[in-house]
Amino acid sequence: MSVEVQAIGVLVVDDHAVVRRGVTAYLEALENVEVAGEAANGREALDCLESLRTRGLPLPRVALMDLVMPKMDGVEATAEIARRFPSVRVVILTSFGEVERIHAALEHGAAGYLLKDAGPSEVAAAIRAAANDDVFLGAAVARRLVQKMRAPHTGVAGLTNRERDVLVLIAEGHSNREIAARLVISERTARTHVSNLLGKLGLRSRTQAVLVAMREGLVPPPS
């Protein structure tokens, strides 16, 4: 006796009609996947889901979502779907692969992130993973995240603890001699720390260092 497997309903959300048609055509060829609807932006996606719920119809299990769209972008729509329709899982399918965008989407509830040059097998795998409450990252996306993790820290995050202490003292207006006294180090060592942190931050003066310290919240701005 065979057991019928329920098809995974997918809402396709993209502001380009040609892309929607192409994605829809591909999804309709997949086994146990059916297209539940289309939307041109995040706002339309939310309206579609609300309409289905109001009419007592089943919600799609997955929303395949573009990231950059008019009226409401993918990140905002993802957050709203997670809040209002928690049974619907969002998989981002976009041309934008910056690490900051990936983090933003995942932090707002996305269950997957793919670039639009992903292969058909990756799209299918992401949809099925999301339907099973798993998270799926495309190979290209995963590589970018790993590269970012392996890259050396830059900016204030790249300073040692002692250099951060020196930066705070510079921002508080202390001279090298005063910094040395505060940290119980030689004045020569204090000068070395100052030189090192300016170099790491790409700064040319102590004044610029003060501005960086205030911008990063290490010291309060002047009242």
Side-chain angles (χ1 to χ4, degrees):
M1 179 179 178
S2 62
V3 178
E4 184 178 352
V5 178
Q6 186 174 5
I8 302 170
V10 180
L11 174 64
V12 180
V13 188
D14 196 293
D15 59 327
H16 293 99
V18 173
V19 174
R20 291 200 307 275
R21 297 295 181 270
V23 171
T24 296
Y26 167 69
L27 294 180
E28 288 175 341
L30 291 177
E31 186 178 357
N32 298 325
V33 173
E34 63 181 16
V35 176
E38 296 181 14
N41 55 64
R43 175 54 56 196
E44 283 190 17
L46 291 170
D47 290 344
C48 178
L49 294 173
E50 187 60 49
S51 176
L52 290 171
R53 182 163 64 182
T54 299
R55 289 182 287 157
L57 299 175
L59 296 177
R61 185 68 177 106
V62 177
L64 197 58
M65 181 90 62
D66 191 13
L67 204 59
V68 179
M69 299 177 290
K71 296 185 179 179
M72 180 181 287
D73 66 23
V75 170
E76 185 178 357
T78 297
E80 281 297 297
I81 289 174
R83 183 179 68 85
R84 294 168 52 184
F85 308 98
S87 67
V88 180
R89 304 283 281 166
V90 177
V91 172
I92 301 296
L93 180 63
T94 182
S95 300
F96 299 89
E98 296 90 347
V99 171
E100 292 75 16
R101 293 181 187 271
I102 299 169
H103 281 307
L106 296 176
E107 287 172 357
H108 284 80
Y113 200 110
L114 299 168
L115 299 184
K116 285 184 175 177
D117 59 0
S121 61
E122 280 194 309
V123 177
I127 289 171
R128 294 191 170 109
N132 289 320
D133 290 323
D134 289 329
V135 175
F136 185 95
L137 299 179
V141 172
R143 280 196 301 272
R144 295 187 186 194
L145 290 176
V146 170
Q147 289 168 355
K148 180 68 173 180
M149 291 172 62
R150 289 177 175 173
H153 292 301
T154 58
V156 171
L159 301 180
T160 65
N161 290 336
R162 177 49 58 92
E163 287 165 350
R164 286 172 65 93
D165 293 340
V166 172
L167 177 59
V168 169
L169 292 172
I170 290 174
E172 291 175 349
H174 296 288
S175 66
N176 287 347
R177 179 176 295 180
E178 292 169 334
I179 291 172
R182 286 290 191 96
L183 300 179
V184 194
I185 56 178
S186 70
E187 188 173 346
R188 179 178 179 180
T189 300
R191 285 197 302 269
T192 299
H193 286 315
V194 172
S195 177
N196 287 344
L197 74 87
L198 291 178
K200 287 183 178 181
L201 297 175
L203 306 177
R204 296 187 301 274
S205 69
R206 297 169 77 100
T207 300
Q208 290 179 327
V210 172
L211 296 175
V212 168
M214 288 190 294
R215 185 189 68 202
E216 296 294 329
L218 299 178
V219 295
S223 57

